[in-house]
Amino acid sequence: MILAHYYQEGAIQDIADFIGDSLELSRQAAGTDAEVIVFCGVHFMAETAKILSPAKTVLIPDLDAGCSLADACPADAFAAFRAEHPDHITVSYINCSAAVKAQSDLICTSSNAVALVKQLPADRPILFGPDQNLGRWVQSQSGRELTLWPGSCIVHETFSEQALLQLKLEHPQAEVLAHPECQQHLLDLADFIGSTSALLRRSGASSASSFIVLTEPGILHQMRLQLPGKTFFEVPGADGCSCNACPYMRLNTLEKVWHCLETLSPAIELEEQLRLNALAPIQKMLAMSA
Ligand code: 13P
Ligand code: SF4
């Protein structure tokens, strides 16, 4: 089964059996009968699939497809952060390594973070990592105070507020859709905030005919395919750079997918005890967001 995240290049999305956001892809990985999963996304996503489905062969087109959030949250530093707050419940965004998941009480994705945090006991303080922008948004939506790990996504931090304001001036009727990994000053200018799947659903359900999209532009491929009558604008980084494309996601190419299928490599491997420790908070997430 070929799974693809919405941030993959259009050609990969076009050959995938299933395209989704992080939560939907985890569910697919957990539920499929296929013996081999080619996970077209970044490492933590394929690793989550392996944690959920250890008997399956889980391949990733490029093993170096990391994530700035996961890379900037080393397990030992996270353990020290937790040790400073021993009475806290640890909620970790799925964009982290298995070693960080293994230390967490609960995993969340951008699509269920608010709902999950709201379900946590009101008398327990909460640690949230590794994305401080998502954490601040969850805080504002859930009414719970979170102690935040100071990480961020290099892609969602590049969007230029000036370019966004310029697009809003040029297209005053356009609805602004934003991923919660964006910085607060950009989220303040958004009409709708949600995960990649939520943004796609919103663009279909909204009466607006044009949208300014503050997330990785891979999602525009699906938006344009599914809604050919609507117009979508991507927001560039400062100086008009194309740094809004995730450099990790874009390491995967159609050629590398083909290579995976031919050679059944590179495969994700995990030490069993680490897998079991990381599995518990993921299963809790799936149960709580069923
Ligand atoms: P989603 O939860 O929308 O899949 O987001 C994943 C991600 O990596 C965003 O940068
Ligand atoms: Fe990680 Fe950001 Fe790329 Fe998502 S867009 S995979 S959070 S670096």
Side-chain angles (χ1 to χ4, degrees):
M1 171 177 241
I2 301 179
L3 299 178
H5 190 269
Y6 289 119
Y7 293 166
Q8 292 292 275
E9 62 181 46
I12 293 180
Q13 294 186 38
D14 291 347
I15 53 126
D17 297 304
F18 181 85
I19 315 161
D21 70 3
S22 303
L23 180 63
E24 293 162 345
L25 291 168
S26 305
R27 288 208 173 107
Q28 284 292 322
T32 178
D33 294 335
E35 285 171 25
V36 178
I37 297 171
V38 180
F39 206 118
C40 303
V42 290
H43 190 274
F44 76 82
M45 296 179 175
E47 191 173 62
T48 303
K50 184 68 178 176
I51 293 167
L52 284 161
S53 300
K56 289 172 189 153
T57 300
V58 179
L59 309 172
I60 181 166
D62 191 318
L63 256 186
D64 291 332
C67 166
S68 67
L69 280 167
D71 294 351
C73 186
D76 50 352
F78 196 68
F81 178 60
R82 286 186 60 243
E84 286 167 21
H85 306 88
D87 55 338
H88 286 51
I89 299 177
T90 303
V91 180
S92 296
Y93 188 29
I94 199 165
N95 297 36
C96 64
S97 66
V100 167
K101 287 185 176 76
Q103 300 177 41
S104 307
D105 299 302
L106 180 64
I107 300 302
C108 69
T109 75
S110 66
S111 68
N112 60 19
V114 174
L116 296 189
V117 164
K118 278 183 175 172
Q119 292 177 53
L120 297 177
D123 59 343
R124 291 283 307 280
I126 303 169
L127 280 190
F128 188 93
D131 187 3
Q132 57 183 321
N133 292 314
L134 174 67
R136 271 190 212 102
W137 179 70
V138 171
Q139 200 161 253
S140 72
Q141 300 301 299
S142 66
R144 297 293 302 268
E145 201 176 311
L146 310 178
T147 301
L148 303 173
W149 172 269
S152 55
C153 161
I154 52 164
V155 173
H156 287 83
E157 291 222 318
T158 58
F159 294 119
S160 154
E161 183 175 349
Q162 202 182 347
L164 171 61
L165 290 171
Q166 185 63 38
L167 278 166
K168 274 170 80 78
L169 267 177
E170 288 165 13
H171 310 283
Q173 308 302 327
E175 198 172 296
V176 178
L177 308 177
H179 195 281
E181 285 178 17
C182 292
Q183 290 173 302
Q184 189 60 49
H185 65 106
L186 295 172
L187 294 181
D188 289 343
L189 296 167
D191 298 305
F192 182 89
I193 298 166
S195 78
T196 43
S197 287
L199 300 184
L200 181 60
R201 281 195 300 274
R202 172 68 194 174
S203 58
S206 167
S207 57
S209 59
S210 58
F211 301 86
I212 298 167
V213 185
L214 277 160
T215 194
E216 214 274 0
I219 185 74
L220 271 70
H221 180 69
Q222 277 314 306
M223 288 170 165
R224 288 176 176 141
L225 270 180
Q226 293 184 21
L227 301 158
K230 296 193 175 190
T231 307
F232 298 92
F233 304 102
E234 61 180 90
V235 183
D239 306 326
C241 71
S242 296
C243 32
N244 55 1
C246 174
Y248 306 100
M249 288 277 182
R250 303 308 176 111
L251 282 176
N252 295 331
T253 61
L254 209 49
E255 289 81 1
K256 290 179 192 171
V257 176
W258 173 78
H259 183 259
C260 259
L261 294 166
E262 281 271 306
T263 62
L264 293 185
S265 70
I268 304 283
E269 301 296 347
L270 264 175
E271 192 264 311
E272 182 60 4
Q273 192 53 52
L274 173 61
R275 185 190 76 79
L276 289 171
N277 293 345
L279 177 64
I282 299 173
Q283 281 180 327
K284 196 165 173 191
M285 166 186 82
L286 293 174
M288 285 174 70
S289 55

